[in-house]
C-alpha cells in the first residue's frame, strides 16, 4: 500500500528547503563581502531568514521521525550523531538569522565574518545531511518500507566485542540483515563473488557473536535464573535438545533456566552461522538461501522463548 503521507517522510521532504536556501545565502553573503554590496546583503538575509524558518519546521518533523521510526539495533552512533548535529545546525541557523535581522541597517553591507558564519553553518548542515541521507536512509534503510524499515540494515563498521546482550543483538541483527538483503538481491539479480564474500563475512560475524552470547550473554539477560516453562518452548532443533535436557533435569531435579536456554540456543545459532559461512564460501546459492532462512527461524525461536515471553 502506498500512503500519500507518512509522519516519518515529512522530515526528509521538508529538509530540502534548507538545502536549497544554503547556496543562495552563502553565495549572496560572499558576493556582498567582496563588493561591499547592500543589495547582495539583502538577498543573503532574505534567503537566510526563509531558510532558518523552514529549517525549524523541518527539525520539528525530524524530532517526530526520530521518535516514531523503528530504530534497528546497530545504528546508535549515527542516530545520535544526526540528532546532535541537527540540533546544532537548527539552533545555529535560528540564532544567526535572528541576529542578522536585528542588525540589518539600510545602506550597510555585510563583510567576511558574516560569510564565514554562513559557510561554517553550511558545513555542519551538509554533515548532518550526509549522516541522515547517506548513512541512515541509503545505507540503513531507516523508514524505507522495502528495507523492512531498517531491519535489514547492514553493519556500519567492523565487528566489536559487545558489552551486553543488547549490543550483541545489534551485531547479530546487522550481520543477519546484510546476509538477508544480499541473498535477496542475488536471487533477484545474479550472484557475484563479491556477494558470496560479503555473506561469508556476515556468517563469520554471526559465529563470533553467537559464541559471545553463549559465554557471556546470560550476565545481562533479564531474569536469567527463572525457569523456562514447557509451554513457552519453541520448535526447531532446540526443542529436541531441550527435551533431552528436561529428561536429564527430571533426574537431577533442577529445571532449566533462561540462562541455560540462552546459551544452548546461542550455540545452535552459531552452528547454523558456520553452515552459512561454508555455503557462501562454496558459492552455493541454494544452500546459502536456505541457511539464511534457518537463521531467521532461530531468531524467531529464541525471541518467542526468551524475549517476548511475559515474565512472572
Ligand atoms: C540465543 C537467543 C537469541 C537469538 C538466537 C537471537 N536473539 Fe535477538 N534477542 C534475544 C533476547 C533475549 C533479546 C532481549 C534482550 C533484552 O531485552 O535485554 C533479544 C533482542 C533483540 C533485539 C532488540 C535489541 C535492542 O536494541 O533492544 C534485536 C534487534 C534482535 N534481538 C535481533 C535478532 C535477530 C535479527 C536475530 C536472528 C538473526 C536474533 N536476534 C537472534 C535473544 C536472541
Amino acid at each position: 500500500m502506498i500512503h500519500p503521507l507518512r509522519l516519518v517522510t515529512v522530515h526528509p521532504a521538508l529538509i530540502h528547503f534548507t538545502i536549497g536556501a544554503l547556496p543562495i545565502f552563502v553565495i549572496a553573503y560572499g558576493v556582498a563581502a567582496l563588493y561591499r554590496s547592500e543589495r547582495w546583503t539583502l538577498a543573503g538575509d532574505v534567503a537566510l531568514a526563509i531558510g532558518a524558518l523552514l529549517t525549524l519546521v523541518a527539525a520539528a518533523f525530524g524530532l517526530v521521525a526520530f521518535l516514531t521510526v523503528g530504530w534497528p539495533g546497530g545504528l546508535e552512533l549515527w542516530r545520535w550523531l544526526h540528532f546532535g548535529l541537527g540540533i546544532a545546525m537548527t539552533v545555529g541557523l535560528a540564532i544567526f538569522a535572528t541576529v542578522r535581522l536585528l542588525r540589518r541597517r539600510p545602506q550597510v553591507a555585510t563583510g567576511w565574518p558574516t560569510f564565514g558564519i554562513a559557510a561554517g553553518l553550511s558545513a555542519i548542515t551538509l554533515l548532518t545531511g550526509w549522516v541522515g541521507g547517506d548513512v541512515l536512509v541509503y545505507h540503513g534503510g531507516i523508514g524505507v518500507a522495502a528495507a523492512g524499515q531498517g531491519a535489514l540494515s547492514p553493519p556500519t563498521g567492523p565487528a566489536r566485542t559487545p558489552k551486553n546482550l543488547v549490543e550483541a543483538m545489534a551485531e547479530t541483527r546487522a550481520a543477519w540483515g546484510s546476509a538477508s538483503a544480499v541473498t535477496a538481491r542475488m536471487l533477484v539479480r545474479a550472484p557475484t563473488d563479491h556477494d558470496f564474500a560479503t555473506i561469508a563475512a556476515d556468517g563469520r560475524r554471526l559465529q563470533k557473536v553467537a559464541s559471545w552470547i553463549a559465554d557471556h550473554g546470560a550476565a545481562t539477560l533479564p531474569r536469567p535464573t527463572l525457569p523456562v516453562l514447557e509451554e513457552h518452548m519453541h520448535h526447531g532443533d532446540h526443542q529436541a535438545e531441550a527435551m533431552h535436557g528436561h529428561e536429564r533435569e527430571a533426574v537431577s531435579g533442577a529445571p532449566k533456566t533462561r540462562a541455560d536456554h540462552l546459551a544452548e540456543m546461542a550455540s545452535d545459532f552459531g552452528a547454523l552461522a558456520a553452515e552459512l559461512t561454508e555455503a557462501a564460501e562454496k558459492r552455493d546459492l541454494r544452500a546459502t538461501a536456505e541457511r539464511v532462512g534457518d537463521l531467521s527461524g532461530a531468531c524467531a525461536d529464541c525471541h518467542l522463548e526468551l524475549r517476548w515471553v511475559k515474565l512472572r
Side-chain angles (χ1 to χ4, degrees):
M1 261 286 279
I2 294 180
H3 297 279
L5 191 70
R6 285 197 295 147
L7 267 187
V8 298
T9 55
V10 177
H11 169 67
L14 286 183
I15 206 64
H16 290 87
F17 288 116
T18 309
I19 298 167
L22 274 190
I24 302 177
F25 68 71
V26 173
I27 291 172
Y29 284 138
V31 179
L34 197 61
Y35 295 112
R36 310 299 311 168
S37 158
E38 16 147 341
R39 298 180 70 189
W40 279 98
T41 299
L42 174 66
D45 287 345
V46 170
L48 173 66
I50 296 174
L53 202 66
L54 290 171
T55 300
L56 286 176
V57 184
F61 276 99
L63 213 57
V64 170
F66 183 89
L67 295 173
T68 53
V69 81
W71 289 98
L75 289 168
E76 286 70 23
L77 168 70
W78 301 102
R79 169 188 182 183
W80 289 106
L81 200 58
H82 186 63
F83 181 82
L85 285 169
I87 289 185
M89 62 163 268
T90 306
V91 172
L93 281 173
I95 293 177
F96 184 37
T98 309
V99 169
R100 268 310 305 148
L101 292 186
L102 291 177
R103 295 182 60 174
R104 259 197 73 73
R105 299 284 176 272
Q107 321 300 329
V108 179
T110 48
W112 292 114
T114 303
F115 169 76
I117 295 170
L121 283 172
S122 299
I124 301 177
T125 305
L126 292 180
L127 189 60
T128 314
W130 176 76
V131 175
D134 200 59
V135 180
L136 292 180
V137 175
Y138 290 110
H139 174 95
I142 301 297
V144 182
Q149 318 286 358
L152 295 176
S153 85
T156 53
R160 281 187 306 168
T161 307
K163 283 196 280 295
N164 51 47
L165 183 59
V166 167
E167 272 192 28
M169 275 303 130
E171 168 74 9
T172 305
R173 189 214 49 73
W176 164 87
S178 168
S180 302
V182 173
T183 301
R185 201 181 61 222
M186 289 202 297
L187 295 173
V188 172
R189 300 269 182 82
T192 66
D193 287 350
H194 181 259
D195 289 334
F196 280 122
T198 303
I199 296 176
D202 294 330
R204 283 187 287 271
R205 278 176 92 127
L206 288 173
Q207 285 170 254
K208 217 164 122 190
V209 70
S211 94
W212 185 92
I213 297 171
D215 295 342
H216 310 286
T220 47
L221 176 72
R223 317 287 294 273
T225 54
L226 274 194
V228 174
L229 303 177
E230 200 79 49
E231 69 257 32
H232 291 154
M233 297 217 308
H234 283 274
H235 319 287
D237 306 46
H238 163 65
Q239 192 170 30
E241 279 182 38
M243 289 305 198
H244 283 297
H246 270 266
E247 280 158 26
R248 263 185 271 125
E249 282 139 21
V251 180
S252 73
K256 272 203 166 186
T257 62
R258 284 164 52 81
D260 297 332
H261 280 238
L262 182 79
E264 197 172 277
M265 282 193 272
S267 48
D268 290 354
F269 189 81
L272 286 175
E275 289 178 30
L276 173 69
T277 308
E278 204 190 315
E281 278 169 350
K282 285 189 188 148
R283 295 177 173 69
D284 182 337
L285 182 58
R286 188 200 172 94
T288 299
E290 284 175 350
R291 294 299 85 78
V292 169
D294 291 344
L295 282 164
S296 305
C299 312
D301 282 344
C302 205
H303 286 178
L304 287 166
E305 194 169 311
L306 297 178
R307 184 182 175 194
W308 295 316
V309 68
K310 274 215 164 41
L311 299 177
R312 276 169 273 168

